[in-house]
Amino acid sequence: MIRDSLGPTGASLFIEQCTRKFLDASTKQVNATDTIEEAENRYLKRKLAEVDLPSKDRVISLGGASITPKVQMLINFLEGLDTPDFAGLVFVETRAEVAILSQLLHYRFYRNGKYSISTFVGESNFSGRGRSMSDLVEIKDQKENLEDFRQGSKNLVVTTAALEEGIDIAKCSVVICFDKPQNIKSVIQRRGRARKSESKYVIMFEKGRDRKALCNWQKLEEEMRQLYMEEMREIQRLEALEDEESGYREYIVEETGYESWRLTLNDAVQHLYHFCDTLPADPFSERKPYFFFKRCASLEGNHVIEAKARLPITVDLAVREARSKRQWSTEKMAKRDVAFEAYVSLHRFGLVDDHLLPKGRAESCVDYTYTPIEKRPNVIGVAQQIDLWLLLAEQWHNAVAAHGSMVELQLRGKARLAMLILLPQSLPPIPDFEVHWDHNTTFSISILPESISYPKQMMDLIDDVTSLLLRSFFRGKISTDQRGFSASFIPASTPDLRAWLIDHSGAMNVEDMAYTNEILGIDLGLIRDLSRNGAPAILHDITFVATKDVPTEDSMDVDEPQDTYRGNSFVKNEKFTQEASERSYKVGDRVETRMLLEVQRLSKRTDFLHRPINKFLGNLKKPRTELIHADNCQVDNLSFKYAQFAALIPTILHKVHEAMVVDRLCASVFSGVNIMNQSLVRTAITASAACEASNYERLEFLGDSILKCFTSLTLAAGNPRYHEGILSHEKDHIVSNGNLASAAVQAGLPEFIITRSFTGQKWRPPYIDDVTLKRKVKTREMSTKTLADVVEALVGAAYLDGGPSRALSCLKALLPRVPWLSWPQATNLLREPYEMPNQPVAMSTPVEDLIGYEFKLKSPLWEALTHASYHGRNSNNSFQRLEFLGDSLLDIIVTTEAFSHEKSIPTHQLHLIRTALVNADFLGYLALRHSVSVCHTGYKADGLQSVTLTEVSRPFTLVDAIRHGTTNLGIPKAREDCLARYRALSATINHTLNQGSLYPWTALARLEPPKLFSDIIESILGAVYVDSQGSLDACKAFLMNIGLMPYLHRVLNSQIALLHPKEELGLLSKQEEVKYVMDEEGEEGARQLTCAILVGEREVARVRQGTSAMECQTGAAEAACRLLERERRVSICEPLQAQYEVQTEGNKALDETNEVSETRLANLDHPGHSRDINDHRGSEDDAYMTADEW
């Protein structure tokens, strides 16, 4: 073939190059061909090696009989061209011709440089095509050849039909068909490559042989040209008709300002497509309008066109279809007309706003919903926490009496001291609280309701008592001449306050008291060390020593004190009582002995609200004492119990102020809410940074779900015309952190929020004269998330205090611009559309048996099962609105069930439970697993003439109940693919859910059910809620039937590791960065994703599984967690094992202890420790305890 087409020289070159290629490949031990057997390959190699090949550098002459006349004519044609910026293509039939013809042209033109030759052949997609020694064109160079041709460094390409279409190349000035094109398509496509101005298209053929084919092609080309011209004339005619019947129409929306918004026929179609594009996205349905045209005869006898538009089923039935207002001569104008009518109807119906844009808000007054949703918390400036002591200072000026409330200090249930706190107003209820004197002593403080009033004339005396108390502990912070405290304290059981003040003022020398025997049995005050500027201390014991035995300053510490503080009075020591009292009456002994005091210095702690930490305590079991000289000390006349109470006054006032803040919030912002339990409000406004006994985190978890449920009910019930896209848009904005933070600021909440931890440092008593000081208005920075969390926590507190009705009152107080509906109101409004006449009848499928609920109204059930692609009977709406409602119902059911569990579950665990139970993969699995058996009639052939009817049973699932479009093949295929994965994974997932200690994150990710499957559960839940008139018990029964509630109860009562592997990996990696590196491996058509996990710079896991990124990343994260946990256990256990071996060798008597220790080490490998982060911490503690025992 090469010799006939290109001549003897071409054939010789072909044989020579094939031989060289085969021998070169054999030398490199690479097969040049896979079309022959190995034995044949060896034989061919031996024979070809005997061939004497000519030199590669020889000169090849082209002329005479060495080339064919066809090649010579091609050469002559190319030599005669004089085209600037030449770019040409030469089409041949075979790859071999491409290789040899390009070389022949190269030999002819390489000297004059007129043409620079390159090649291009197609890549075969046939996987069975083997390599051949005749493939002389290097495929790997083709991309570079094309780029050279585009850039102009190569200007002539010899190619096969591969360049006819589909590849972008430079415009050509000459296109030559060396061989006759195979068909008219090739003729047209090749000619399309000659796009340069004055380009040439050449077809080479032998005279007398191909003339007939050429004439046929020319005839076909002329027919195509005529068809094209007729089509152009028809287009021109239609355009003329459009100009004649332009029928200009417009729809104008006037506004109060200077602007107006208009819709015309010309832009109506684009507006309608844009509206459909904003509808809720679904992978199995199209979001576009459908147009239908009907041709009919007019009165004049002409053909006219009417149009109808149908919008997706997501749009309300009332405006889902529209018709053109008039008849038109063209489809284009009819389409514009019907689009115009449809869009005007959407505006009048309320789905398009006055700007003629798809609506995205529930009410025009809620304009803040157009602001962007906050993606991350911002920090804003808000008011400082309110200081109610200034308000009390103002009230003192007008007060006629002081209101006293009892403050009782108790230790282990027994009263230790009773005092009165005096204020110009009565106190709100204050729950009992604890204060921690030291690590071993915790007092309980109760502040009882108002018990007594004191006239204002006694305030000077009361201030003197308060000053005495405060100076006993805060001597450096209290001025001796400043009076007028905003909060005062006096003893509760003192009839003569002045006499009490005289008796407890001042101090006396300790040595004088001891020698006069007055110290025995007396309730002493604090010891003042005058050598240290009166530093206070608590007396533990007294020791008399001979003068020569008085210890030096270096030996004054006492490591083992004889007595510790056991109350508020000195404990007599028998040795001191008998021996020291005898010496006290002998004058001579006074000269020979010296008194030493064993005392405990008062710590510098000012925060008694929180349990002390080690840096304040030293040895937690025994307080550190020391010996000091008695002649340098005085003892206060004020008993220690009063001084101790004085130390607690800042803590007490902190709790009092906190209660007054809560009371003021309830009386102002929450005046219409009527919350009875103010402790819930105090918890709701306390941030975790305040380090109080409780904070808002648990209430925020509950309130978040309550808020979303009320929002969903209000939006869905109040806007029956809105599709799920608008409802979700509104909900996202109402519950966003930015909107809730804005509502908190507008309601004045920031000044009530408690964010600072009480420390007692820099504390000073509040004075009445503080009101006269000019204070600068200060602000503080607060995260918008904190503000939003407080709003949600207050909603949760209101719900716990008074149920949904009180939560609704709270929402109305905090978010007044949202038209909130109560649950009964919303339920009735949601039910109304389904009570209309002509609703669907009962269905024949066993769906109600599957759900476990019998619907009174069948239309909610029909709607709950209808996909957006369905357009058959009983298709008023798709399930999306009910799914929107069911999503919030599922959230609140799971949340309230977990929150109200008998064991108080930590907040982080509550979030994990909700995430595990309310996720699409888990719900999709339940939709596939829950089924009932249904029977249908089958046929069985017993022979050629006999057929037997049989009853065949099969499982019927919620997925089978979905109604979808018959032309939509995506849903059946997705269902079959997911069922195949379900059959492979169901046993593993079911076993893990029923008996395992881990949540099957990886298996569920591998199952990868379409979101449609979880949506159907939520839509049915919404339908049950509507039909049962808002019964959450009916909703719970449905969830119990499909298996969600049983697993929730198992999670609540068992130790199930719920943390997602990716989150757990983030915790295990500590401060190191975690990277997920995705790639693909495998052959074409069977490629799989791979995921490598880098922790820092170290690769800790690499997996190859699945076709989705989430499945692959989840599996890789799980593998990485196993490795890091194993390394962590080894790092803990190896030192313990080494210590255990030393212990065993050194002391054989400790076998029993060693056995216990080995058991603890074994427990570190228990599955429960390998997954739960909290168990990790427990394992570590166990390990250290074991080390101490060894």
Side-chain angles (χ1 to χ4, degrees):
M1 184 186 71
I2 297 294
R3 191 179 190 282
D4 294 340
S5 177
L6 304 179
T9 301
S12 299
L13 283 173
F14 178 74
I15 295 173
E16 176 189 339
Q17 293 190 19
C18 288
T19 304
R20 290 185 188 278
K21 178 179 179 180
F22 184 85
L23 294 176
D24 289 345
S26 300
T27 303
K28 298 176 182 178
Q29 296 183 347
V30 176
N31 288 334
T33 175
D34 50 15
T35 59
I36 61 176
E37 299 295 334
E38 180 63 26
E40 295 174 338
N41 193 48
R42 291 195 299 270
Y43 173 79
L44 186 60
K45 176 183 177 182
R46 186 171 64 253
K47 289 299 182 181
L48 290 178
E50 299 174 0
V51 177
D52 186 14
L53 296 176
S55 172
K56 292 182 180 180
D57 301 329
R58 75 185 186 280
V59 177
I60 299 177
S61 62
L62 302 179
S66 64
I67 58 176
T68 61
K70 193 174 183 180
V71 175
Q72 186 62 54
M73 183 169 287
L74 174 63
I75 293 173
N76 294 340
F77 177 78
L78 292 173
E79 287 179 338
L81 291 176
D82 187 14
T83 305
D85 298 328
F86 176 85
L89 299 176
V90 179
F91 284 97
V92 296
E93 285 190 5
T94 66
R95 297 182 174 212
E97 287 180 291
V98 169
I100 303 305
L101 181 58
S102 64
Q103 291 192 38
L104 293 176
L105 295 177
H106 173 73
Y107 290 143
R108 177 64 186 83
F109 293 108
Y110 81 95
R111 290 183 178 178
N112 60 23
K114 185 174 183 179
Y115 299 110
S116 180
I117 317 297
S118 65
T119 60
F120 186 87
V121 297
E123 296 184 38
S124 175
N125 292 325
F126 176 50
S127 60
R129 185 183 187 276
R131 290 171 294 174
S132 173
M133 59 190 296
S134 63
D135 292 338
L136 301 178
V137 178
E138 291 291 343
I139 301 297
K140 62 182 181 179
D141 297 334
Q142 295 201 122
K143 183 176 181 181
E144 183 179 351
N145 291 343
L146 279 182
E147 187 61 30
D148 290 342
F149 186 65
R150 294 189 186 103
Q151 300 296 330
S153 58
K154 304 286 185 181
N155 60 0
L156 183 62
V157 176
V158 182
T159 179
T160 61
L163 272 185
E164 286 182 352
E165 62 174 339
I167 300 177
D168 182 28
I169 61 174
K171 295 179 181 180
C172 297
S173 54
V174 174
V175 175
I176 303 172
C177 298
F178 185 79
D179 295 316
K180 181 184 67 176
Q182 297 296 318
N183 49 50
I184 186 65
K185 177 183 177 183
S186 294
V187 174
I188 296 172
Q189 288 177 338
R190 293 179 181 183
R191 186 169 59 184
R193 291 300 190 184
R195 300 194 302 273
K196 269 192 175 183
S197 177
E198 300 181 359
S199 61
K200 292 180 174 61
Y201 178 53
V202 179
I203 300 177
M204 302 182 69
F205 60 93
E206 293 186 30
K207 291 181 180 181
R209 293 186 58 184
D210 300 326
R211 174 68 65 180
K212 185 176 179 180
L214 179 61
C215 293
N216 290 336
W217 291 340
Q218 290 175 341
K219 183 178 178 180
L220 287 174
E221 184 179 3
E222 179 62 24
E223 291 176 359
M224 292 175 61
R225 191 181 69 83
Q226 291 297 329
L227 289 174
Y228 172 76
M229 295 303 297
E230 289 178 7
E231 184 178 351
M232 292 301 297
R233 285 192 292 270
E234 179 65 16
I235 291 174
Q236 292 174 1
R237 187 184 69 84
L238 294 176
E239 288 177 350
L241 287 175
E242 291 173 3
D243 293 339
E244 293 176 2
E245 60 174 9
S246 61
Y248 182 79
R249 294 170 59 196
E250 64 179 9
Y251 179 74
I252 301 176
V253 180
E254 298 287 351
E255 286 194 337
T256 56
Y258 296 101
E259 292 184 289
S260 62
W261 308 93
R262 100 184 42 235
L263 175 74
T264 66
L265 287 178
N266 292 333
D267 55 21
V269 176
Q270 294 91 324
H271 274 76
L272 194 60
Y273 270 96
H274 175 63
F275 171 82
C276 291
D277 194 53
T278 61
L279 296 175
D282 186 276
F284 304 113
S285 62
E286 293 182 317
R287 296 181 295 168
K288 67 178 183 179
Y290 293 89
F291 296 95
F292 306 92
F293 302 98
K294 178 182 178 183
R295 293 182 178 273
C296 54
S298 66
L299 297 177
E300 294 80 10
N302 299 325
H303 288 287
V304 291
I305 299 174
E306 296 177 350
K308 181 178 74 172
R310 186 178 69 194
L311 304 182
I313 193 175
T314 309
V315 181
D316 193 274
L317 184 62
V319 290
R320 192 177 302 160
E321 292 188 356
R323 295 181 181 274
S324 58
K325 191 173 183 180
R326 51 166 286 192
Q327 297 174 336
W328 300 86
S329 301
T330 62
E331 289 186 358
K332 182 177 181 180
M333 293 304 299
K335 183 178 181 180
R336 290 179 178 180
D337 186 11
V338 72
F340 184 89
E341 294 298 323
Y343 208 76
V344 169
S345 298
L346 291 174
H347 175 260
R348 291 172 177 168
F349 198 71
L351 298 181
V352 173
D353 64 18
D354 288 340
H355 298 273
L356 294 179
L357 294 173
K359 204 165 188 179
R361 54 188 180 184
E363 294 293 337
S364 59
C365 62
V366 192
D367 53 0
Y368 55 83
T369 57
Y370 265 119
T371 58
I373 297 177
E374 190 175 86
K375 299 298 182 182
R376 64 182 63 184
N378 292 322
V379 176
I380 60 175
V382 297
Q384 283 278 13
Q385 184 179 345
I386 187 172
D387 186 359
L388 293 182
W389 298 120
L390 296 178
L391 180 63
L392 292 181
E394 293 178 356
Q395 292 180 0
W396 275 118
H397 291 288
N398 301 320
V400 295
H403 300 270
S405 297
M406 183 72 70
V407 181
E408 288 189 354
L409 189 68
Q410 299 180 354
L411 180 63
R412 303 184 186 92
K414 295 182 179 180
R416 304 293 292 178
L417 183 65
M419 301 288 288
L420 289 177
I421 179 174
L422 302 175
L423 298 168
Q425 66 174 35
S426 57
L427 279 177
I430 302 177
D432 294 353
F433 58 94
E434 292 182 343
V435 292
H436 307 279
W437 179 253
D438 55 36
H439 196 273
N440 301 314
T441 308
T442 298
F443 294 105
S444 175
I445 295 182
S446 302
I447 301 180
L448 306 179
E450 180 182 346
S451 58
I452 190 172
S453 296
Y454 286 85
K456 193 173 182 179
Q457 293 76 9
M458 292 187 61
M459 290 309 302
D460 289 341
L461 179 59
I462 292 173
D463 285 345
D464 290 339
V465 174
T466 303
S467 179
L468 176 64
L469 292 172
L470 292 176
R471 283 179 52 78
S472 66
F473 197 85
F474 304 97
R475 179 168 297 187
K477 297 182 180 181
I478 308 300
S479 174
T480 56
D481 55 352
Q482 189 169 8
R483 296 292 186 271
F485 299 99
S486 294
S488 302
F489 293 88
I490 60 174
S493 56
T494 303
D496 190 348
L497 193 59
R498 190 174 300 278
W500 182 93
L501 179 62
I502 295 173
D503 292 340
H504 290 80
S505 298
M508 66 173 61
N509 294 328
V510 174
E511 199 170 31
D512 295 340
M513 293 181 63
Y515 283 125
T516 59
N517 207 25
E518 294 180 2
I519 196 170
L520 299 181
I522 295 178
D523 188 5
L524 295 177
L526 290 174
I527 301 297
R528 303 286 178 177
D529 188 352
L530 301 181
S531 64
R532 296 189 179 183
N533 297 322
I538 303 172
L539 180 64
H540 279 258
D541 199 2
I542 297 179
T543 301
F544 286 89
V545 297
T547 303
K548 61 183 180 64
D549 296 329
V550 174
T552 63
E553 293 292 335
D554 296 334
S555 59
M556 296 292 277
D557 288 349
V558 180
D559 294 331
E560 297 293 336
Q562 297 177 359
D563 297 288
T564 59
Y565 170 71
R566 300 174 185 172
N568 57 3
S569 62
F570 172 69
V571 180
K572 300 178 184 178
N573 183 282
E574 292 298 327
K575 180 179 180 181
F576 162 75
T577 302
Q578 296 174 1
E579 298 179 1
S581 59
E582 292 177 358
R583 291 196 303 270
S584 63
Y585 291 102
K586 298 178 181 179
V587 177
D589 290 342
R590 295 184 184 178
V591 178
E592 298 174 1
T593 62
R594 189 77 176 269
M595 180 189 295
L596 299 179
L597 305 181
E598 183 183 341
V599 298
Q600 174 191 349
R601 300 284 184 184
L602 284 183
S603 70
K604 297 181 180 180
R605 284 182 60 225
T606 55
D607 174 19
F608 299 96
L609 187 62
H610 306 103
R611 189 174 294 277
I613 57 179
N614 292 355
K615 72 177 183 178
F616 288 122
L617 290 173
N619 190 331
L620 300 181
K621 297 181 179 179
K622 298 178 180 179
R624 179 179 178 275
T625 61
E626 59 182 279
L627 295 174
I628 59 176
H629 298 288
D631 54 0
N632 291 329
C633 297
Q634 289 184 338
V635 58
D636 288 348
N637 291 331
L638 182 67
S639 301
F640 172 71
K641 62 182 180 181
Y642 292 111
Q644 188 178 46
F645 180 84
L648 303 177
I649 285 179
T651 305
I652 295 172
L653 292 184
H654 169 74
K655 302 301 289 186
V656 168
H657 186 267
E658 188 179 87
M660 292 191 299
V661 168
V662 172
D663 186 65
R664 186 174 179 84
L665 172 61
C666 293
S668 55
V669 179
F670 279 9
S671 59
V673 181
N674 299 321
I675 292 182
M676 305 302 295
N677 187 355
Q678 292 191 359
S679 296
L680 292 172
V681 179
R682 182 177 60 257
T683 300
I685 63 174
T686 303
S688 57
C691 300
E692 294 287 336
S694 61
N695 58 58
Y696 63 59
E697 289 180 351
R698 274 177 56 86
L699 289 177
E700 180 270 330
F701 172 80
L702 176 64
D704 172 75
S705 183
I706 302 295
L707 172 62
K708 290 178 179 177
C709 188
F710 264 107
T711 304
S712 298
L713 285 170
T714 296
L715 291 176
N719 304 279
R721 300 176 175 181
Y722 287 176
H723 55 75
E724 184 266 340
I726 298 179
L727 298 177
S728 295
H729 177 83
E730 300 311 314
K731 176 184 174 182
D732 291 343
H733 282 83
I734 290 175
V735 304
S736 68
N737 284 347
N739 180 53
L740 296 181
S742 176
V745 172
Q746 293 177 9
L749 279 182
E751 65 179 1
F752 298 101
I753 298 176
I754 303 171
T755 57
R756 295 185 60 181
S757 175
F758 173 77
T759 63
Q761 298 177 0
K762 299 182 180 180
W763 179 85
R764 60 181 295 276
Y767 293 100
I768 297 176
D769 292 341
D770 289 346
V771 73
T772 61
L773 300 177
K774 293 184 179 180
R775 298 175 180 263
K776 294 182 180 179
V777 178
K778 296 182 179 180
T779 60
R780 54 177 169 167
E781 290 188 342
M782 189 175 295
S783 168
T784 53
K785 186 180 185 307
T786 299
L787 292 167
D789 288 349
V790 169
V791 171
E792 293 173 337
L794 288 170
V795 173
Y799 180 84
L800 291 179
D801 187 69
S805 60
R806 195 148 294 164
L808 178 62
S809 299
C810 178
L811 289 172
K812 289 180 177 179
L814 295 176
L815 297 163
R817 292 199 289 179
V818 179
W820 297 106
L821 297 174
S822 66
W823 280 8
Q825 290 174 324
T827 303
N828 293 334
L829 289 175
L830 288 169
R831 189 179 169 86
E832 280 181 7
Y834 304 106
E835 296 175 335
M836 304 294 289
N838 301 323
Q839 293 298 316
V841 297
M843 55 180 61
S844 58
T845 56
V847 176
E848 289 180 312
D849 294 337
L850 182 64
I851 295 173
Y853 175 84
E854 183 177 356
F855 283 81
K856 305 175 186 64
L857 302 173
K858 304 304 178 184
S859 51
L861 179 56
W862 280 104
E863 184 175 316
L865 299 175
T866 303
H867 185 257
S869 63
Y870 182 78
H871 290 283
R873 60 190 297 266
N874 300 325
S875 58
N876 290 345
N877 287 295
S878 69
F879 61 63
Q880 291 175 337
R881 278 178 55 90
L882 287 175
E883 181 268 329
F884 169 80
L885 180 61
D887 176 73
S888 296
L889 293 171
L890 177 62
D891 188 275
I892 195 173
I893 288 173
V894 172
T895 297
T896 54
E897 193 78 10
F899 187 91
S900 59
H901 192 254
E902 58 184 2
K903 297 179 181 178
S904 182
I905 301 175
T907 308
H908 74 277
Q909 189 70 12
L910 290 174
H911 283 284
L912 293 178
I913 292 172
R914 185 164 65 184
T915 301
L917 273 293
V918 187
N919 74 80
D921 289 344
F922 178 65
L923 295 179
Y925 168 76
L926 296 181
L928 290 167
R929 186 185 71 172
H930 182 60
S931 65
V932 294
S933 181
V934 296
C935 296
H936 67 278
T937 303
Y939 301 90
K940 180 180 180 182
D942 297 330
L944 294 177
Q945 302 294 330
S946 177
V947 176
T948 304
L949 299 179
T950 60
E951 290 291 329
V952 180
S953 64
R954 66 177 181 86
F956 182 82
T957 67
L958 290 174
V959 176
D960 297 319
I962 300 175
R963 302 195 303 164
H964 57 83
T966 56
T967 59
N968 190 338
L969 301 180
I971 294 179
K973 184 179 185 306
R975 179 176 58 194
E976 292 305 318
D977 292 345
C978 189
L979 281 174
R981 297 191 295 270
Y982 173 79
R983 296 185 190 100
L985 297 169
S986 59
T988 300
I989 297 176
N990 198 51
H991 174 78
T992 304
L993 292 177
N994 292 334
Q995 302 179 30
S997 60
L998 310 177
Y999 186 83
W1001 285 112
T1002 303
L1004 289 175
R1006 191 171 302 147
L1007 178 64
E1008 197 180 1
K1011 184 177 180 296
L1012 168 65
F1013 295 1
S1014 62
D1015 289 345
I1016 207 68
I1017 287 184
E1018 294 174 337
S1019 65
I1020 292 175
L1021 186 64
V1024 171
Y1025 178 85
V1026 171
D1027 186 71
S1028 64
Q1029 297 181 323
S1031 172
L1032 290 181
D1033 290 337
C1035 296
K1036 291 180 181 179
F1038 164 64
L1039 297 177
M1040 181 70 71
N1041 191 35
I1042 66 173
L1044 187 143
M1045 295 302 289
Y1047 186 65
L1048 173 59
H1049 294 153
R1050 182 171 184 266
V1051 167
L1052 294 175
N1053 296 305
S1054 306
Q1055 295 294 326
I1056 308 296
L1058 300 175
L1059 194 64
H1060 194 280
K1062 295 180 72 173
E1063 296 182 36
E1064 182 178 358
L1065 179 59
L1067 295 176
L1068 290 175
S1069 62
K1070 298 179 181 178
Q1071 301 298 324
E1072 293 187 279
E1073 181 183 6
V1074 178
K1075 294 181 182 178
Y1076 294 82
V1077 181
M1078 303 297 299
D1079 199 357
E1080 289 187 3
E1081 292 182 0
E1083 298 296 331
E1084 190 69 31
R1087 300 182 71 81
Q1088 281 191 321
L1089 290 174
T1090 64
C1091 179
I1093 292 185
L1094 303 179
V1095 176
E1097 299 299 327
R1098 181 171 69 115
E1099 181 177 309
V1100 297
R1102 178 182 289 269
V1103 299
R1104 175 184 175 184
Q1105 65 180 41
T1107 56
S1108 71
M1110 179 54 69
E1111 173 191 351
C1112 198
Q1113 290 179 5
T1114 304
E1118 190 172 42
C1121 287
R1122 287 198 299 266
L1123 175 66
L1124 294 180
E1125 288 166 351
R1126 193 180 307 118
E1127 291 178 351
R1128 180 177 174 278
R1129 290 197 301 271
V1130 169
S1131 66
I1132 294 175
C1133 296
E1134 282 183 347
L1136 299 180
Q1137 185 66 30
Q1139 186 176 357
Y1140 166 73
E1141 292 174 356
V1142 171
Q1143 186 81 3
T1144 303
E1145 294 176 0
N1147 189 355
K1148 299 297 183 181
L1150 295 179
D1151 290 342
E1152 182 177 354
T1153 303
N1154 294 333
E1155 182 179 352
V1156 173
S1157 303
E1158 288 177 348
T1159 303
R1160 287 182 174 171
L1161 280 173
N1163 288 337
L1164 291 177
D1165 290 322
H1166 189 273
H1169 293 276
S1170 66
R1171 296 291 293 163
D1172 197 320
I1173 296 301
N1174 292 326
D1175 288 346
H1176 293 168
R1177 189 179 300 112
S1179 304
E1180 199 170 47
D1181 293 340
D1182 290 345
Y1184 288 129
M1185 289 172 61
T1186 306
D1188 292 338
E1189 292 176 358
W1190 287 335

